[in-house]
Amino acid sequence: MAESAASLGQFDFAGDDHVVPFQVEGLDVRGRAVQLGPLLDAILARHDYPAPVARLLAEAVVLTVLLGTSLKFEGKFTVQTKSDGPVDLLVADFSTPENVRAYARFDDEALAEAVAAGKTEPEQLLGKGVLAFTIDQGRFSQPYQGIVALDGASLEEIAGTYFRQSEQIPTRVRLGAAELFDRDEAGKPRHRWRAGGLVAQFLPEAPERMRQPDLHGGDGDTSVREHVEDDAWAEARTLVETIDADELTDPQVGTERLLYRLFHERGVRVYEPKAVFDCCTCSRDKLKSVLQGFSAEEIEASQENGEIAVTCEFCSTTYRFDVSEVTDA
């Protein structure tokens, strides 16, 4: 079924946890935008992450949702960082058509030292490493993985570098996360997390208009690279860069209002929003199958009093197996 376009106000606002596809015909731009609320709160509260870790993981979840909802086939899209900093692992994956899960791994002592020293910028928390994007279409195909160095001040900058190097499509990504402190309906203090983001891509009919400046060749590269950026993309990119971080997360702004603020002079159209959900793909059967592949020595090392307990790192659900369930004996 083809997506139907509508102008702002022709249907209800999408609200939280709904990705809004959009198109700006006057600038040859397509993209998606989202604000995450309850979904993100559930993911972060499950592990009670410290604020600096929660903020990083929130942005990773937004990036995953924005890119994952563009898949046109059944499969899984994963965003993962692996690095040597206090937060050495971020993982978020999107299983089509709508399910999201995520978790972070960090060193308590190293994180406490970083916070005490005021070193809480993304590049300081992540350290040196890589950001990987993985697309898995299932058992009958080979996963595709794109990798880029963690060489930037934020996840949005690193994602931008990935698109420059791998996709060759002019792309601008914006990500943001925020803590909200307010009161619930009963007047009690409440703490919530929100996050939002936008990805815009330049997709003109003439491919030559998509050409971008060559990447710098590194130290010692003195070659001259002259390139004039397409006017339409220059305008779109500049508009996207005007977004204030608070606008990405403010529930009073909302996704459609943000898009209208940015592109109304160019005739922005929004499409039917796509709901996304906090839903883990773990199951007892999947974990049982994994355990059945263990050697006798691994089973023995994993069991305690004849039982093996396995806790999902994503949703924190614990599954318990009698040793006899996963052995031939």
Side-chain angles (χ1 to χ4, degrees), residues 299-300 302-309 321-326:
I299 291 291
E300 177 61 29
S302 302
Q303 67 88 28
E304 184 174 348
N305 298 323
E307 181 182 77
I308 299 175
F321 301 89
D322 189 277
V323 169
S324 62
E325 293 183 73
V326 297

Side-chain angles (χ1 to χ4, degrees), residues 79-100:
V79 171
Q80 177 176 329
T81 67
K82 189 172 183 181
S83 57
D84 63 2
V87 183
D88 66 340
L89 186 71
L90 298 173
V91 183
D93 68 42
F94 180 89
S95 297
T96 59
E98 60 192 12
N99 296 329
V100 187

Side-chain angles (χ1 to χ4, degrees), residues 39-153:
L39 175 154
L40 182 66
D41 243 1
I43 290 174
L44 299 181
R46 195 170 288 130
H47 296 278
D48 193 24
Y49 293 112
V53 179
R55 189 177 300 276
L56 277 176
L57 187 59
E59 292 190 357
V61 171
V62 173
L63 180 60
T64 304
V65 166
L66 286 172
L67 302 182
T69 49
S70 70
L71 298 182
K72 304 300 183 184
F73 50 81
E74 183 176 342
K76 180 180 290 187
F77 175 76
T78 303
V79 171
Q80 177 176 329
T81 67
K82 189 172 183 181
S83 57
D84 63 2
V87 183
D88 66 340
L89 186 71
L90 298 173
V91 183
D93 68 42
F94 180 89
S95 297
T96 59
E98 60 192 12
N99 296 329
V100 187
R101 62 180 190 166
Y103 80 94
R105 187 177 66 197
F106 61 96
D107 183 287
D108 287 293
E109 184 176 339
L111 179 65
E113 291 176 358
V115 172
K119 298 179 179 180
T120 57
E121 295 300 317
E123 68 270 26
Q124 295 169 322
L125 294 176
L126 293 173
K128 296 180 180 179
V130 296
L131 172 66
F133 297 87
T134 305
I135 297 175
D136 188 349
Q137 297 186 54
R139 56 187 294 189
F140 299 112
S141 65
Q142 290 291 326
Y144 164 80
Q145 187 172 75
I147 297 176
V148 64
L150 289 174
D151 186 14

Side-chain angles (χ1 to χ4, degrees), residues 190-231:
R190 176 175 58 179
H191 168 257
R192 294 180 292 160
W193 279 97
R194 294 184 61 79
L198 178 149
V199 58
Q201 294 188 305
F202 184 47
L203 297 167
E205 290 186 8
E208 61 270 17
R209 292 179 59 201
M210 295 168 56
R211 184 170 174 268
Q212 302 179 83
D214 294 333
L215 291 171
H216 194 277
D219 294 341
D221 183 3
T222 59
S223 58
V224 177
R225 291 167 171 79
E226 295 183 1
H227 173 70
V228 178
E229 188 175 44
D230 187 275
D231 289 344

Side-chain angles (χ1 to χ4, degrees), residues 100-323:
V100 187
R101 62 180 190 166
Y103 80 94
R105 187 177 66 197
F106 61 96
D107 183 287
D108 287 293
E109 184 176 339
L111 179 65
E113 291 176 358
V115 172
K119 298 179 179 180
T120 57
E121 295 300 317
E123 68 270 26
Q124 295 169 322
L125 294 176
L126 293 173
K128 296 180 180 179
V130 296
L131 172 66
F133 297 87
T134 305
I135 297 175
D136 188 349
Q137 297 186 54
R139 56 187 294 189
F140 299 112
S141 65
Q142 290 291 326
Y144 164 80
Q145 187 172 75
I147 297 176
V148 64
L150 289 174
D151 186 14
S154 64
L155 283 179
E156 74 174 40
E157 284 190 17
I158 298 164
T161 300
Y162 168 79
F163 279 103
R164 279 285 310 279
Q165 293 179 346
S166 303
E167 299 297 318
Q168 300 300 309
I169 298 174
T171 303
R172 186 66 171 94
V173 177
R174 297 300 312 275
L175 304 172
E179 292 181 272
L180 266 62
F181 298 90
D182 58 8
R183 295 183 180 275
D184 61 19
E185 293 75 9
K188 296 181 179 179
R190 176 175 58 179
H191 168 257
R192 294 180 292 160
W193 279 97
R194 294 184 61 79
L198 178 149
V199 58
Q201 294 188 305
F202 184 47
L203 297 167
E205 290 186 8
E208 61 270 17
R209 292 179 59 201
M210 295 168 56
R211 184 170 174 268
Q212 302 179 83
D214 294 333
L215 291 171
H216 194 277
D219 294 341
D221 183 3
T222 59
S223 58
V224 177
R225 291 167 171 79
E226 295 183 1
H227 173 70
V228 178
E229 188 175 44
D230 187 275
D231 289 344
W233 175 240
E235 180 180 343
R237 179 182 52 75
T238 300
L239 289 171
V240 171
E241 290 170 356
T242 66
I243 299 174
D244 187 85
D246 292 341
E247 291 180 290
L248 291 170
T249 59
D250 189 343
Q252 300 303 314
V253 174
T255 303
E256 292 88 350
R257 284 195 176 95
L258 175 58
L259 292 172
Y260 182 78
R261 287 182 181 181
L262 290 174
F263 301 119
H264 68 278
E265 292 184 355
R266 287 295 198 163
V268 61
R269 292 182 177 272
V270 294
Y271 294 82
E272 185 175 353
K274 300 178 180 180
V276 289
F277 300 92
D278 163 36
C279 183
C280 192
T281 56
C282 72
S283 71
R284 183 177 180 83
D285 287 343
K286 287 182 180 179
L287 291 173
K288 182 178 179 180
S289 178
V290 172
L291 291 174
Q292 287 174 331
F294 279 21
S295 66
E297 291 78 11
E298 290 171 324
I299 291 291
E300 177 61 29
S302 302
Q303 67 88 28
E304 184 174 348
N305 298 323
E307 181 182 77
I308 299 175
V310 181
T311 299
C312 176
E313 293 177 305
F314 287 95
C315 67
S316 297
T317 300
T318 298
Y319 298 87
R320 300 184 183 278
F321 301 89
D322 189 277
V323 169

